[in-house]
Amino acid sequence: RVPLLQAAGKKNSFNLLGLTETELKEQFVRGDGPGGQATNKTNNCVVLKHIPSGIVVKCHQTRSAEQNRKLAREILQEKVDLFYKGEDSDVFKEKKASEKKKQEKKRRAKENLERKKHFKEMQQLDKK
């Protein structure tokens, strides 16, 4: 069993489960959404299925079929890793860390806004 992809574009993604081509079923379909003729007449949307887990990924992020193939495999590898490892997955830990960072940033912004509001109130009281 030889891993197909080692990294999926993440910093700490070297611990992801490996995929093999024999476990994958790949299809090229027409994409949907905005884009007109470029989208409606070309089969550059990639649908990739991981047969053992049943996870399906559809990727139509670029106009290039080859780039979409690569991106679909990266996304699928992350999803398969998350499916099998659950909370022990690096992908899960990374998402939790980014959520925590986002909440902290939001909290700091709210505190800053309150400080500014309080400062303006104090300035108006000093003027009177």
Side-chain angles (χ1 to χ4, degrees):
R1 192 176 146 134
V2 179
L4 173 70
L5 295 171
Q6 283 296 324
K10 302 287 183 187
K11 291 174 232 163
N12 303 324
S13 62
F14 295 108
N15 296 330
L16 294 179
L17 291 174
L19 301 177
T20 59
E21 284 295 330
T22 57
E23 297 175 332
L24 305 178
K25 181 180 176 191
E26 183 176 50
Q27 283 182 298
F28 293 94
V29 296
R30 289 195 177 124
D32 55 359
Q37 182 176 351
T39 299
N40 301 332
K41 290 191 176 182
T42 57
N43 291 338
N44 57 7
C45 179
V46 178
V47 177
L48 200 58
K49 181 177 182 178
H50 185 249
I51 297 166
S53 65
I55 297 173
V56 178
V57 169
K58 186 176 180 183
C59 181
H60 188 234
Q61 294 180 8
T62 68
R63 289 171 58 179
S64 165
E66 283 303 312
Q67 284 180 330
N68 286 333
R69 286 182 78 206
K70 183 178 182 254
L71 290 170
R73 279 168 171 71
E74 291 172 357
I75 294 166
L76 183 67
Q77 188 177 23
E78 289 178 3
K79 288 193 177 210
V80 167
D81 189 68
L82 192 58
F83 179 78
Y84 285 117
K85 291 183 180 176
E87 290 183 9
D88 295 332
S89 171
D90 288 344
V91 176
F92 182 80
K93 290 174 185 174
E94 208 168 297
K95 283 183 182 178
K96 279 291 185 190
S98 70
E99 279 178 26
K100 196 172 183 179
K101 210 180 240 187
K102 187 176 179 182
Q103 287 175 348
E104 179 65 23
K105 188 175 179 182
K106 202 173 187 180
R107 185 189 62 78
R108 272 190 263 125
K110 192 174 180 180
E111 283 179 359
N112 225 0
L113 192 65
E114 288 293 323
R115 248 187 258 120
K116 286 179 182 179
K117 191 188 265 186
H118 183 71
F119 182 71
K120 281 188 177 183
E121 286 173 1
M122 296 301 280
Q123 278 185 331
Q124 287 181 355
L125 287 175
D126 288 343
K127 287 181 183 179
K128 291 180 181 179

